[in-house]
Amino acid sequence: MIDNVYWACQFSLGCFVLGMGCAVIRMLTGPSAADRVLALDTMYINGIVALLALGIRFDSTLYFDSALPIALFGFLGSA
């Protein structure tokens, strides 16, 4: 794998994990139920894009296949 793609995937995974951590904090300390729901939506979106970044990093289609049901269930859960 090209070094630039490797480091870009590493950086993006770090950003997604940081975003998920901020969403967990908001979900635990949110002042209202709407804040908690939005934090949960943010967490599943960050989980999806983290799986996609892992799929690019490891050059595996398994991650892409597992991101699709998560996206569908997350959409149904927020609807």
Side-chain angles (χ1 to χ4, degrees), residues 16-77:
F16 297 141
V17 167
L18 183 65
M20 286 179 79
C22 292
V24 166
I25 291 171
R26 173 53 81 186
M27 193 171 66
L28 294 176
T29 63
S32 68
D35 290 332
R36 291 185 173 98
V37 170
L38 288 175
L40 189 62
D41 285 343
T42 303
M43 283 178 55
Y44 91 80
I45 289 172
N46 280 333
I48 290 168
V49 292
L51 279 174
L52 295 176
L54 284 171
I56 292 171
R57 184 180 181 276
F58 293 122
D59 196 26
S60 174
T61 60
L62 181 65
Y63 293 101
F64 298 108
D65 293 337
S66 62
L68 183 63
I70 292 173
L72 290 173
F73 290 134
F75 173 74
L76 290 175

